[in-house]
Amino acid sequence: MSVPVIDSSASLSADDAVQRWSELGTEKREELLEKLQEQVVIPRPLQFFVGELSVDNDKAVEIIGECRGKPVADWTDEALILITTLWLWQVGKVAVSELNQADLSFSLLEEYFTAKRRGYHRILGRPETPPAESESLFDIAESLVGLRKDIEQHHIRCMRINGATWERREWFLPKADINPDELPEDLQDHLEARTGHRLPPGDGHVARFTGLTEQVIESGTNPAEILVALATYALTLPQLDADYSIITCARGNKLETPEDIAMSDVMSYTAVRSDFDPAAKGVRLKNDQIMNAISQRMRYNVVCRVRNYSSDRALRMQAQAFQHPDIAVMEDAHHNGHRANGVRFVTRAPLVFDVDLPGGTRRLKGLADFRINRATHDEARQFTPAELAVVIRISWWMKVVTETTWRHGLMFDEKYCVKLDTYEDKDGGKLARRRAMLGEGR
């Protein structure tokens, strides 16, 4: 269902909002409220303040439910503000969690959307003209969609995340900063040490990583080793100064029905810096336990995201949202697993695949991401846009490897798709089994 937009005045008041919702008519209003309920269940954790109410995801679903089947005139003022905020979220395709911790009001919404459009105009180098007299706030929100598409011709939409407050802030990274064709000599050495092959000559990273993947396949080595080599390579880069590096990717089966992907259909490898001392960083788990726990959680995340492809509304409502590249702080504020593993400062790059299937080429999101972590609370070591650019560069290399592998009808090695969690004692007596499967010293 397309989200309806109604023309009206330049600003938004309670009376305007009542009129907009009323003019939808009962059937369209119910359809939209149902859509908002579905979208707000688990997009990202939300936390708004509306009047005297504190509203999280569950409370938002409850408030929308209370309004369904009621005339708009019977909605409470708090419900009107909240639900109108969510409608504008759908119209403008914004990150609604940018408003986390805000005291929502109609004047705040007007300020937020007009300021965002000014910012988009600034990025595009266009005049920052004030809203026209005939423009409604809904018009302004809708205009963001086209402006964002213009920006994304030369920029990548990214987020800054505060794990303590769940706030997200949108920003844009110039694509020119990625430099995917920058393929240094130490990368070549690292790939050869892991796979026995170097990048062949070619014009650009796509041709060269395609050629490498085909050479590795021809030699009888599973291309998952290239992804693992790239993950471990990231730990060698002084610029990234990472403690952990994680590649997670669907194996390559069930691509026609991604909603059916299970945890055993997802490879995940966590590389931990060789000299990392968990105890010195206040991390409870040992290195091999960290590897296992993080990879298992990453598989789970993929399974949660692919529910977005389900035709079952109940499953879609349980789905995690697709990601944008991001820089995150305080990731351990609300997550016991993150605390145990030392997941604190993180920067992530999701991989988006173009896959040839019987029905044609399909773009698939949510099946993979590459991320690095710093197990520290030192604010001076927060990740920067320049460092995210390096992570995205590596993820683009991984994308070529993955698409080439799948194009040859192959899947990534099953040994990277299993949880190995049997330990004889707290010192990990049986972890030799993991090392044996993954390769000694890897």
Side-chain angles (χ1 to χ4, degrees):
M1 184 195 77
S2 60
V3 178
V5 178
I6 302 173
D7 258 339
S8 189
S9 59
S11 61
L12 186 69
S13 67
D15 289 342
D16 295 327
V18 168
Q19 179 183 346
R20 293 172 194 283
W21 281 105
S22 299
E23 289 178 352
L24 281 181
T26 301
E27 183 177 347
K28 286 189 175 181
R29 186 167 61 250
E30 285 298 307
E31 287 179 0
L32 178 54
L33 290 174
E34 181 181 34
K35 178 183 178 72
L36 294 180
Q37 272 191 311
E38 178 178 318
Q39 293 296 314
V40 84
V41 173
I42 313 180
R44 302 291 184 191
L46 301 178
Q47 184 64 61
F48 305 130
F49 299 96
V50 192
E52 298 299 316
L53 294 180
S54 176
V55 180
D56 60 8
N57 300 66
D58 291 344
K59 185 66 174 177
V61 172
E62 178 187 326
I63 291 172
I64 297 169
E66 290 171 352
C67 293
R68 293 184 63 179
K70 279 187 182 180
V72 180
D74 292 344
W75 294 0
T76 66
D77 293 342
E78 291 83 1
L80 183 63
I81 293 171
L82 173 69
I83 299 177
T84 304
T85 299
L86 299 177
W87 187 5
L88 286 165
W89 163 41
Q90 294 295 293
V91 170
K93 308 300 180 188
V94 296
V96 71
S97 51
E98 286 195 311
L99 294 169
N100 268 12
Q101 312 303 310
D103 190 355
L104 297 181
S105 66
F106 290 122
S107 60
L108 174 72
L109 294 175
E110 184 174 357
E111 180 182 353
Y112 170 78
F113 282 99
T114 54
K116 184 166 283 290
R117 186 164 74 171
R118 283 197 304 271
Y120 283 8
H121 283 165
R122 198 175 305 124
I123 294 170
L124 291 166
R126 299 177 185 175
E128 298 175 29
T129 54
E133 241 183 74
S134 60
E135 269 189 312
S136 73
L137 187 55
F138 281 72
D139 294 328
I140 294 171
E142 188 175 31
S143 73
L144 297 179
V145 178
L147 292 171
R148 194 181 300 116
K149 285 182 180 178
D150 291 345
I151 292 171
E152 289 179 325
Q153 291 182 35
H154 301 290
H155 295 75
I156 298 171
R157 189 187 189 195
C158 303
M159 296 289 166
R160 294 186 187 275
I161 301 173
N162 185 324
T165 62
W166 305 118
E167 292 172 88
R168 277 171 153 69
R169 291 288 179 268
E170 177 187 72
W171 59 284
F172 294 91
L173 179 70
K175 291 181 180 178
D177 291 353
I178 306 303
N179 300 320
D181 296 334
E182 182 183 310
L183 302 167
E185 191 64 23
D186 63 340
L187 169 65
Q188 295 272 30
D189 296 340
H190 206 86
L191 289 168
E192 185 175 27
R194 183 85 194 190
T195 70
H197 297 271
R198 300 172 73 83
L199 288 165
D203 185 14
H205 77 284
V206 173
R208 298 187 71 185
F209 270 98
T210 298
L212 171 69
T213 307
E214 290 173 342
Q215 286 181 3
V216 168
I217 292 171
E218 188 175 346
S219 73
T221 299
N222 190 279
E225 298 303 325
I226 307 176
L227 300 185
V228 171
L230 291 172
T232 56
Y233 170 71
L235 290 182
T236 70
L237 299 179
Q239 181 182 9
L240 294 183
D241 189 25
D243 294 320
Y244 316 153
S245 170
I246 305 105
I247 171 59
T248 304
C249 185
R251 287 190 70 196
N253 57 331
K254 303 180 182 177
L255 297 179
E256 292 182 62
T257 56
E259 64 274 18
D260 294 332
I261 288 174
M263 289 177 68
S264 58
D265 303 316
V266 183
M267 73 158 285
S268 186
Y269 183 86
T270 298
V272 179
R273 183 165 48 83
S274 59
D275 61 347
F276 180 72
D277 182 354
K281 295 291 187 180
V283 178
R284 297 202 301 271
L285 300 185
K286 297 180 182 299
N287 285 12
D288 287 85
Q289 293 171 311
I290 291 169
M291 293 173 64
N292 203 28
I294 291 178
S295 290
Q296 191 69 355
R297 177 68 193 193
M298 295 302 98
R299 296 182 190 107
Y300 173 77
N301 286 348
V302 170
V303 170
C304 287
R305 291 191 187 102
V306 296
R307 291 171 181 161
N308 284 291
Y309 292 107
S310 176
S311 59
D312 185 334
R313 179 174 181 259
L315 288 178
R316 289 198 308 273
M317 289 176 70
Q318 299 174 42
Q320 290 183 17
F322 294 137
Q323 297 169 283
H324 295 282
D326 64 52
I327 293 173
V329 301
M330 299 295 289
E331 284 286 271
D332 59 340
H334 297 291
H335 197 301
N336 288 333
H338 287 182
R339 282 194 288 275
N341 290 314
V343 176
R344 294 163 183 164
F345 293 158
V346 183
T347 187
R348 293 168 277 221
L351 280 67
V352 179
F353 301 119
D354 294 303
V355 182
D356 292 330
L357 298 171
T361 301
R362 185 177 184 185
R363 176 154 289 189
L364 294 175
K365 301 179 181 180
L367 273 63
D369 74 57
F370 175 56
R371 61 183 66 196
I372 63 174
N373 175 78
R374 290 174 182 157
T376 179
H377 288 120
D378 180 359
E379 291 191 4
R381 294 189 63 206
Q382 294 182 25
F383 287 107
T384 66
E387 291 159 351
L388 175 56
V390 176
V391 171
I392 293 175
R393 178 189 308 155
I394 296 172
S395 79
W396 286 6
W397 300 341
M398 292 172 164
K399 169 183 166 70
V400 178
V401 173
T402 302
E403 291 179 346
T404 304
T405 300
W406 293 347
R407 194 162 56 247
H408 281 74
L410 298 178
M411 295 186 292
F412 292 124
D413 200 324
E414 185 180 11
K415 71 183 180 183
Y416 295 117
C417 305
V418 294
K419 179 183 179 184
L420 303 178
D421 59 354
T422 55
Y423 302 95
E424 286 184 349
D425 53 35
K426 66 179 181 180
D427 296 320
K430 285 191 177 178
L431 288 179
R433 179 178 174 225
R434 167 183 270 284
R435 294 194 187 96
M437 289 192 70
L438 299 185
E440 190 62 37
R442 295 179 178 176

